[in-house]
Amino acid sequence: CRPLHWHSSGFHYNWSIVSFFNENEHAIGGERYTRCWDQLRPLIEKISPQTRLEGPETGGGIPASYKDFIDPASHTDHRAPELYSFHVDGGGGSPDEYDQAIAAVDSI
Protein backbone atom coordinates (compact mmCIF):
# COMPACT_ATOMS: atom_id res chain seq x y z
CA CYS A 1 0.00 0.00 0.00
CA ARG A 2 1.72 3.18 -1.13
CA PRO A 3 0.54 6.73 -0.50
CA LEU A 4 -1.56 8.15 -3.31
CA HIS A 5 -0.73 11.73 -2.33
CA TRP A 6 1.88 13.21 -0.03
CA HIS A 7 1.67 16.75 1.27
CA SER A 8 4.54 17.61 3.61
CA SER A 9 3.64 20.54 5.84
CA GLY A 10 6.01 20.33 8.78
CA PHE A 11 3.02 20.60 11.13
CA HIS A 12 2.31 18.06 13.88
CA TYR A 13 -1.24 17.49 15.09
CA ASN A 14 -2.86 15.62 17.94
CA TRP A 15 -5.98 14.19 16.32
CA SER A 16 -8.54 11.97 18.01
CA ILE A 17 -9.77 10.52 14.71
CA VAL A 18 -8.13 10.16 11.30
CA SER A 19 -10.30 9.60 8.26
CA PHE A 20 -9.12 6.82 5.96
CA PHE A 21 -9.56 7.30 2.19
CA ASN A 22 -12.51 9.69 2.26
CA GLU A 23 -15.36 8.15 0.26
CA ASN A 24 -12.80 5.88 -1.42
CA GLU A 25 -12.24 8.63 -3.96
CA HIS A 26 -9.51 6.61 -5.66
CA ALA A 27 -11.78 3.53 -6.00
CA ILE A 28 -9.09 1.17 -4.73
CA GLY A 29 -11.57 -1.69 -4.14
CA GLY A 30 -12.60 -3.63 -1.08
CA GLU A 31 -9.73 -6.13 -0.83
CA ARG A 32 -7.04 -3.50 -1.43
CA TYR A 33 -8.78 -1.07 0.92
CA THR A 34 -8.70 -3.71 3.67
CA ARG A 35 -5.04 -4.54 2.97
CA CYS A 36 -4.06 -0.85 3.18
CA TRP A 37 -6.09 -0.40 6.37
CA ASP A 38 -4.37 -3.40 7.95
CA GLN A 39 -0.95 -1.97 7.08
CA LEU A 40 -1.68 1.60 8.20
CA ARG A 41 -3.62 1.05 11.42
CA PRO A 42 -0.66 -0.33 13.43
CA LEU A 43 1.59 2.46 12.10
CA ILE A 44 -0.87 5.14 13.21
CA GLU A 45 -1.32 3.44 16.59
CA LYS A 46 2.47 3.35 17.04
CA ILE A 47 2.90 7.03 16.21
CA SER A 48 -0.22 8.26 18.01
CA PRO A 49 -1.80 5.62 20.30
CA GLN A 50 -4.77 7.85 21.18
CA THR A 51 -5.76 8.36 17.52
CA ARG A 52 -8.56 6.19 16.12
CA LEU A 53 -8.77 5.34 12.46
CA GLU A 54 -12.17 5.96 10.87
CA GLY A 55 -13.32 4.10 7.83
CA PRO A 56 -14.67 3.37 5.52
CA GLU A 57 -16.38 6.60 4.67
CA THR A 58 -19.11 6.12 2.12
CA GLY A 59 -21.28 8.42 0.10
CA GLY A 60 -23.87 7.67 -2.53
CA GLY A 61 -24.51 4.09 -1.52
CA ILE A 62 -22.81 1.27 0.31
CA PRO A 63 -20.44 -0.87 -1.76
CA ALA A 64 -20.93 -4.60 -1.20
CA SER A 65 -17.23 -4.98 -0.37
CA TYR A 66 -17.70 -2.97 2.84
CA LYS A 67 -19.69 -5.81 4.38
CA ASP A 68 -16.49 -7.85 4.36
CA PHE A 69 -14.45 -4.87 5.53
CA ILE A 70 -16.44 -4.40 8.75
CA ASP A 71 -16.12 -8.14 9.56
CA PRO A 72 -13.28 -8.58 12.10
CA ALA A 73 -12.30 -11.88 10.44
CA SER A 74 -11.29 -9.94 7.31
CA HIS A 75 -8.44 -8.19 9.14
CA THR A 76 -5.00 -9.48 10.04
CA ASP A 77 -5.46 -8.34 13.65
CA HIS A 78 -9.10 -9.60 13.76
CA ARG A 79 -10.35 -6.14 14.77
CA ALA A 80 -13.25 -4.44 13.05
CA PRO A 81 -13.05 -0.71 12.38
CA GLU A 82 -14.14 1.28 15.42
CA LEU A 83 -15.78 4.05 13.41
CA TYR A 84 -17.71 3.98 10.16
CA SER A 85 -18.80 7.19 8.48
CA PHE A 86 -21.83 7.23 6.20
CA HIS A 87 -22.15 10.50 4.27
CA VAL A 88 -25.64 11.56 3.30
CA ASP A 89 -26.26 14.53 1.04
CA GLY A 90 -28.09 17.13 3.10
CA GLY A 91 -29.29 19.00 0.02
CA GLY A 92 -33.02 18.46 0.00
CA GLY A 93 -33.55 14.85 1.02
CA SER A 94 -36.76 13.96 2.77
CA PRO A 95 -36.82 12.45 6.27
CA ASP A 96 -37.90 9.16 4.68
CA GLU A 97 -34.79 9.17 2.44
CA TYR A 98 -32.54 9.65 5.46
CA ASP A 99 -34.35 6.88 7.36
CA GLN A 100 -33.81 4.58 4.37
CA ALA A 101 -30.11 5.48 4.22
CA ILE A 102 -29.63 4.65 7.91
CA ALA A 103 -31.60 1.41 7.51
CA ALA A 104 -29.31 0.42 4.63
CA VAL A 105 -26.23 0.86 6.84
CA ASP A 106 -27.88 -1.04 9.71
CA SER A 107 -28.68 -3.96 7.40
CA ILE A 108 -25.00 -4.65 6.62
Side-chain angles (χ1 to χ4, degrees), residues 48-65:
S48 181
Q50 75 282 358
T51 300
R52 297 294 165 247
L53 194 56
E54 174 190 17
E57 292 184 326
T58 62
I62 304 167
S65 62

Side-chain angles (χ1 to χ4, degrees), residues 55-56 65-72 74-75 80-81 84 105 108:
S65 62
Y66 287 172
K67 183 175 182 178
D68 290 327
F69 178 78
I70 63 174
D71 181 355
S74 298
H75 296 276
Y84 182 106
V105 172
I108 292 180

Side-chain angles (χ1 to χ4, degrees), residues 4-71:
L4 298 171
H5 301 288
W6 179 259
H7 303 281
S8 180
S9 68
F11 292 105
H12 300 278
Y13 297 97
N14 184 16
W15 289 332
S16 300
I17 300 169
V18 172
S19 167
F20 187 75
F21 290 156
N22 180 45
E23 295 183 7
N24 195 9
E25 57 197 14
H26 296 285
I28 65 170
E31 187 177 315
R32 186 172 172 212
Y33 187 98
T34 301
R35 195 169 56 250
C36 288
W37 174 281
D38 286 348
Q39 291 174 11
L40 292 173
R41 178 160 53 180
L43 297 174
I44 291 170
E45 290 173 342
K46 183 178 179 180
I47 294 167
S48 181
Q50 75 282 358
T51 300
R52 297 294 165 247
L53 194 56
E54 174 190 17
E57 292 184 326
T58 62
I62 304 167
S65 62
Y66 287 172
K67 183 175 182 178
D68 290 327
F69 178 78
I70 63 174
D71 181 355

